Amino acid sequence: QVQLQESGPGLVKPSETLSLTCTVSGGSIRSHYWSWVRQPPGKGLEWIGYIYFTGSTNYNPSLKSRVTISVDTSKNQFSLNLRSVAAADTAVYYCARGGGELRYWGLGTLVTVSS
Amino acid sequence: DIQMTQSPSSLSASVGDRVTITCQASQDITNHLNWYQQKPGKAPELLIYDASNLETGVPSRFSGSGSGTDFTITINSLQPEDIATYYCQQDDNLPYTFGQGTKLEIK
């Protein structure tokens, strides 16, 4: 069974960079798309972007200028960097397998942006 | 961006009821519509993909239908464990977008 686990700081200061890693177990990161989705507290889901195992990416235009998603196939991991964060970026961040339909999800990690 | 509008935003029903949630896309997305269930404090789970295909392991009381711009998810014989928020998502056009969610409660 494929499992995903997000890791990274739970607190980030305004204007700094949010960095999260998703570790995939129970399957190879190859031959799949991998996504990031976020959910502000008490609100709905927002698609951030996805990466193919080859490194090809697509991002939500609303975040495109600040987002980078990368993949490390040797570690079976993919990562999210979100630059110049503000309070509005406070959310639970999920990693998931898939580009469109998201079949496997991590448990999610709450990232709070605060000084 | 394609806007996804769900209705109702919240819904209260009794155990055993048949429940229907609708999702409307702002433009034609053919059948590129997925439904997710999210229980409190948990990650979303894929229930239905491509509008009407039941994900493996999902109870058969769940079903999906629709094409173009109008879609529905139906729960036949609501069970207590179905209490959750339901989201539709289109993956026809980038950026992929979700509906605002429908919170389902037991009456």
Side-chain angles (χ1 to χ4, degrees):
Chain A
Q1 177 76 335
V2 174
Q3 293 186 316
L4 296 85
Q5 177 68 61
E6 304 90 351
S7 58
L11 181 64
V12 180
K13 290 182 168 56
S15 79
E16 296 190 345
T17 297
L18 180 160
S19 296
L20 296 175
T21 296
C22 183
T23 301
V24 179
S25 59
S28 174
I29 204 166
R30 295 179 179 273
S31 300
H32 290 290
Y33 287 86
W34 303 91
S35 293
W36 288 97
V37 174
R38 70 180 183 177
Q39 184 171 37
K43 297 189 177 180
L45 301 166
E46 180 181 28
W47 177 76
I48 297 171
Y50 67 64
I51 189 165
Y52 193 48
F53 78 101
T54 56
S56 173
T57 55
N58 260 299
Y59 302 132
N60 192 323
S62 68
L63 299 169
K64 188 173 183 177
S65 63
R66 300 192 291 132
V67 170
T68 302
I69 298 176
S70 57
V71 64
D72 186 336
T73 54
S74 68
K75 294 182 179 179
N76 237 32
Q77 294 176 334
F78 63 106
S79 298
L80 170 70
N81 274 5
L82 181 64
R83 297 175 291 278
S84 303
V85 297
D89 295 308
T90 294
V92 174
Y93 286 77
Y94 295 101
C95 59
R97 194 184 88 175
E101 57 202 50
L102 303 172
R103 187 156 272 114
Y104 299 100
W105 294 66
L107 297 177
T109 187
L110 174 63
V111 179
T112 301
V113 178
S114 175
S115 55
Chain B
D1 298 4
I2 296 177
Q3 305 303 313
M4 306 301 293
T5 304
Q6 290 181 231
S7 60
S9 295
S10 62
L11 174 59
S12 182
S14 299
V15 172
D17 282 355
R18 178 175 177 164
V19 171
T20 297
I21 299 168
T22 66
C23 179
Q24 185 170 59
S26 60
Q27 65 187 67
D28 189 338
I29 58 170
T30 61
N31 69 330
H32 297 137
L33 189 284
N34 308 309
W35 289 97
Y36 299 86
Q37 177 193 65
Q38 186 178 33
K39 296 183 178 180
K42 302 292 188 182
E45 293 186 3
L46 179 65
L47 295 179
I48 291 168
Y49 62 96
D50 291 343
S52 61
N53 294 302
L54 200 64
E55 176 66 357
T56 302
V58 174
S60 59
R61 63 180 179 273
F62 290 91
S63 63
S65 65
S67 67
T69 61
D70 296 303
F71 302 86
T72 61
I73 183 172
T74 298
I75 309 172
N76 282 304
S77 189
L78 183 69
Q79 298 301 302
E81 60 265 31
D82 300 334
I83 297 314
T85 299
Y86 293 81
Y87 293 94
C88 62
Q89 176 218 19
Q90 66 82 18
D91 61 354
D92 187 74
N93 276 7
L94 291 165
Y96 300 146
T97 46
F98 293 88
Q100 81 277 17
T102 295
K103 187 174 183 179
L104 177 56
E105 298 174 328
I106 292 286
K107 195 180 292 183

